[in-house]
Amino acid sequence: MKENKKKENIFKQMFVTRTQGFIDISKKRDFWKEFAKETNGTFNVKHTVAKDLKILELKIPYKQYLVEFTESDAHPLKINCKLNVNQKFDFSVSYEDAMEKLLKFFGNQDIQVGDKAFDKKYLIQGEKADLIKKVLMKDRIKTILLSNNVFSYNCTWEKKNETVQLTSLVSRTVNSKSELSELFELFRLTIDEMEKLGIIKES
């Protein structure tokens, strides 16, 4: 079991590495800043210690949560939100390419949501298949994932503090405020569905 997990982590790292490469993100600064104002968020530009790379950071409140966006010259867009939950819940949604087919070979579960286009493109994994499908089957959630080059969307259970980390990695092609808005909507819709199903603790 540990060996399979080790192999999976190696393959995942290889997959994420393929999305990296230097891109000057200076041109994205204006629409990130504008989106922050529209959503009552906070926007910052940071630099690495060597001052050679820029990092964009955007934090947007939603209900009692905080959705955080980060992207740098060398790393793709990452979106993250921590949620307090009532139960163990996790899932992984990722591109079903040759790499994911290889992961299937090592015993990874593939959950089908009944949408041909979605099921063909994405590999879904997790222990509570019925609950996962209820969260992800909303048409708008599937549409955003399909249309925005979202190659990784994960909900990771943290037993120690009874929380989950909702995390997404997106391609380097998010170049407009409308695309940022759709990705923020993805998180809002997912949070709403998890609340309806009693997964998230009430504030």
Side-chain angles (χ1 to χ4, degrees), residues 96 112-123 137 139 142 146:
E96 188 168 349
Q112 303 286 308
V113 297
D115 182 308
K116 288 185 178 180
F118 191 86
D119 289 333
K120 183 178 180 180
K121 185 168 185 177
Y122 286 107
L123 174 73
M137 279 190 68
D139 286 340
K142 291 183 291 184
L146 286 168

Side-chain angles (χ1 to χ4, degrees), residues 164-181:
V164 296
Q165 291 283 351
L166 195 60
T167 307
S168 181
L169 291 174
V170 189
S171 76
R172 308 304 303 275
T173 58
V174 177
N175 293 313
S176 70
K177 185 175 64 176
S178 62
E179 290 169 309
L180 275 185
S181 179

Side-chain angles (χ1 to χ4, degrees), residues 25 27-28 31-32 69 71 77 79 148-150 170-181 183:
I25 58 173
K27 62 183 180 180
K28 301 186 179 188
F31 73 81
W32 276 57
F69 295 69
E71 184 174 356
L77 174 60
I79 312 167
N148 286 277
N149 293 317
V150 177
V170 189
S171 76
R172 308 304 303 275
T173 58
V174 177
N175 293 313
S176 70
K177 185 175 64 176
S178 62
E179 290 169 309
L180 275 185
S181 179
L183 293 168

